[in-house]
Amino acid sequence: MRASLRLRVFLFFVLLAVGALACGAGALALGWARAEPGLPAGPFVTAFVVFSLLNTGLLLGIWLLFDENVAKPINRLSANLRLRAHGGKVEILDTTDAQYLGDLAPAAAALSAKVGSDVEAMASSVARETERLSVEHQRLAALLSESPVGTILLNPAREIVLYDAQAAGILSAIRPPRLKAALTDYFYAEDLEAGLSEARCKLRPVTGAPAIEARVKPLHGDGLMLFFDPPHAATPDAIAARPLTFDFDLMQHNDDRAMADQPLEQLCFVVFDLETTGLSVAQDAIVQIGAVRVVNGARVAGEEYHSYVNPERPIPPASTRIHHVSDAHVATAPTIAQAGQALHDFARGAVLVAHNAPFDMGFLKRHEAEIGAAWDHSVLDTVLLSAVAFGTTEEHSLDALCARLGIEIAAEERHTALGDARVTAEALVRVLQMLRGQGYDSLAALKGPLEQQARRLYKKNV
């Protein structure tokens, strides 16, 4: 594990202190050896003790000044530069706490300003191209949505790369539709393989529902198109709520390595947040769940899960004042057994992410028996990710992290489960970009640094 700059500086001053003590002890020993025979050693020992205390105190004071005025500012400066390099932030670099770094801070600010202007120019060009592609996307979505045929595109690994509103309706009857989800999450694989030679197949849902007929069209490169003839076309409201969803980069996915060793950008993340009746994992209950999906390094529009949860007890007024969830909201809501199962289906095959994850995961694990599913996913905590990216001396609350990353939190969405999940997902995307710039490109590479930060912040391992 790489030692941080502050630790290296601290060890340097420890070495200086030990070296000075060794030199002082040697000098006093030499003086005593050359003194007149019979001279007591007491004055030499006293001198050494006094020297040791003064020397250690002096070096400790110098180290504290150096740490506060040099090491910490360098850490902040490097984190801010990395944020601009990988996190997309283009504001003027703040160098007010780097006044003792000589010309380093002004040089960094000048470089940041130059890069920022280039980024803004590039962003303007990208925005124009994005607007053009958005128009093309809307045209394609309109064409597919007007057709009563449901369409799904699969990559060679039989993972979903594209689905339209009609297909989303079919999949939703089984499990939530999700990009990069294996088709076997919805249908039995042998039905699809048996139908490849006939160009038609009857797919049996894994839930035991009646089989659904589909046409199969193999594509060059071993991908597949599935076409369904649903009994009714999607309504305009359904199309608006669930537009055409796709990511053609997923066609290239072919990584058989364990999840921990795969590049972070290839992983699926489900970022979630819970609102509860209180702060006790052992005694309080969940009242609201919000979750969003991040695939290929971006949040997937439309792939969200939100539900109120009936805690089967009154919600304390003090809690309602924070998250605005009242007894009226949850009166007809599903219990944690139903809502938890829906979240578990939404998070199949993904890495779970939460801000202060031990709190949220504690609630989910407590209800495993009721939900009927184990929460055995890999878990990331954005508090710890922030500490790895920015250092433990910074504040790592969700508000502080978003402010640092330039993410705006709408007041009406703060402390709502879905609102907090959305901004946490945006923070995750940007922090992961920074961490990849630091050389942390997989879950395995992050394991050691995250455990170290967990011991510091939570006093235990993740």
Side-chain angles (χ1 to χ4, degrees):
M1 187 182 299
R2 294 175 295 181
S4 66
L5 172 64
R6 294 181 64 211
L7 178 58
R8 293 178 184 180
V9 170
F10 175 74
L11 293 177
F12 174 76
F13 277 92
V14 169
L15 182 62
L16 282 180
V18 172
L21 291 177
C23 291
L28 289 174
L30 179 63
W32 183 48
R34 294 189 175 185
E36 297 181 3
L39 189 67
F44 290 91
V45 173
T46 301
F48 177 72
V49 171
V50 172
F51 170 77
S52 300
L53 293 174
L54 292 175
N55 176 75
T56 303
L58 177 63
L59 287 176
L60 179 62
I62 295 174
W63 168 73
L64 288 172
L65 288 173
F66 195 91
D67 183 64
E68 191 65 34
N69 296 293
V70 178
K72 285 184 181 179
I74 288 177
N75 274 352
R76 293 193 188 100
L77 187 62
S78 60
N80 281 326
L81 288 173
R82 189 171 287 109
L83 179 59
R84 281 152 181 79
H86 304 287
K89 194 171 183 179
V90 296
E91 288 88 349
I92 297 174
L93 186 67
D94 184 7
T95 60
T96 54
D97 63 346
Q99 55 183 320
Y100 298 108
L101 299 183
D103 194 44
L104 177 61
L111 178 61
S112 177
K114 177 64 171 64
V115 172
S117 63
D118 292 343
V119 168
E120 287 180 338
M122 184 180 297
S124 177
S125 175
V126 169
R128 289 193 297 270
E129 183 65 15
T130 300
E131 184 177 359
R132 185 187 69 80
L133 292 175
S134 177
V135 172
E136 297 298 320
H137 174 221
Q138 291 172 7
R139 288 174 180 169
L140 177 60
L143 287 172
L144 288 176
S145 299
E146 289 174 2
S147 168
V149 178
T151 305
I152 295 177
L153 172 62
L154 302 174
N155 65 12
R158 303 297 188 259
E159 296 170 337
I160 297 175
V161 174
L162 173 150
Y163 60 88
D164 62 7
Q166 287 80 1
I170 295 171
L171 295 175
S172 296
I174 307 170
R175 286 194 174 113
R178 299 152 13 246
L179 286 182
K180 205 177 181 295
L183 192 69
T184 51
D185 280 357
Y186 304 90
F187 305 102
Y188 289 106
E190 57 266 24
D191 295 346
L192 176 63
E193 302 306 322
L196 287 177
S197 59
E198 302 178 5
R200 299 191 75 88
C201 62
K202 286 190 175 181
L203 299 177
R204 292 170 298 154
V206 295
T207 56
I212 302 173
E213 189 167 331
R215 285 174 285 135
V216 184
K217 179 177 177 55
L219 301 177
H220 178 69
D222 204 26
L224 290 176
M225 292 286 291
L226 296 180
F227 301 99
F228 299 88
D229 293 318
H232 302 288
T235 65
D237 288 342
I239 292 172
R242 173 70 68 177
L244 180 70
T245 304
F246 64 90
D247 186 340
F248 291 126
D249 287 340
L250 296 176
M251 288 296 294
Q252 309 303 319
H253 173 65
N254 187 22
D255 197 330
D256 296 328
R257 288 177 291 179
M259 179 183 288
D261 297 319
Q262 292 182 24
L264 291 172
E265 61 270 18
Q266 289 186 7
L267 299 178
C268 289
F269 300 93
V270 166
V271 187
F272 75 102
D273 182 68
L274 307 177
E275 298 300 334
T276 62
T277 58
L279 299 178
S280 172
V281 173
Q283 298 178 356
D284 284 301
I286 300 169
V287 298
Q288 190 181 38
I289 299 175
V292 301
R293 297 187 80 243
V294 172
V295 177
N296 257 359
R299 184 158 65 90
V300 183
E303 291 193 354
E304 299 182 340
Y305 172 71
H306 171 262
S307 178
Y308 289 111
V309 181
N310 190 334
E312 301 179 289
R313 69 180 74 176
I315 301 175
S319 297
T320 298
R321 283 194 292 272
I322 295 174
H323 49 54
H324 306 297
V325 179
S326 66
D327 291 331
H329 289 112
V330 302
T332 59
T335 64
I336 185 57
Q338 301 162 304
Q341 180 61 63
L343 176 63
H344 195 274
D345 285 343
F346 185 74
R348 287 175 67 90
V351 178
L352 288 175
V353 183
H355 198 76
N356 190 15
F359 177 80
D360 298 89
M361 289 305 302
F363 277 94
L364 294 181
K365 285 186 173 293
R366 195 183 101 201
H367 292 290
E368 281 183 335
E370 299 163 69
I371 294 171
W375 295 97
D376 53 3
H377 305 65
S378 296
V379 179
L380 287 180
D381 184 351
T382 46
V383 172
L384 302 181
L385 291 174
S386 175
V388 173
F390 296 103
T392 53
T393 57
E394 300 295 335
E395 186 182 349
H396 301 295
S397 67
L398 183 58
D399 293 288
L401 176 59
C402 288
R404 198 177 301 127
L405 294 170
I407 299 171
E408 294 186 6
I409 307 178
E412 63 273 14
E413 291 196 355
R414 184 68 175 102
H415 293 301
T416 67
L418 187 56
D420 284 357
R422 286 170 175 167
V423 296
T424 303
E426 295 296 334
L428 172 73
V429 169
R430 300 190 190 190
V431 170
L432 288 183
Q433 291 174 348
M434 293 180 61
L435 293 173
R436 285 200 297 271
Q438 291 178 257
Y440 302 119
D441 57 358
S442 67
L443 294 179
L446 277 171
K447 185 176 185 297
L450 290 176
E451 288 180 344
Q452 184 183 62
Q453 296 301 338
R455 286 191 293 270
R456 292 175 177 173
L457 298 177
Y458 297 143
K459 308 303 180 184
K460 61 179 180 181
N461 289 330
V462 288

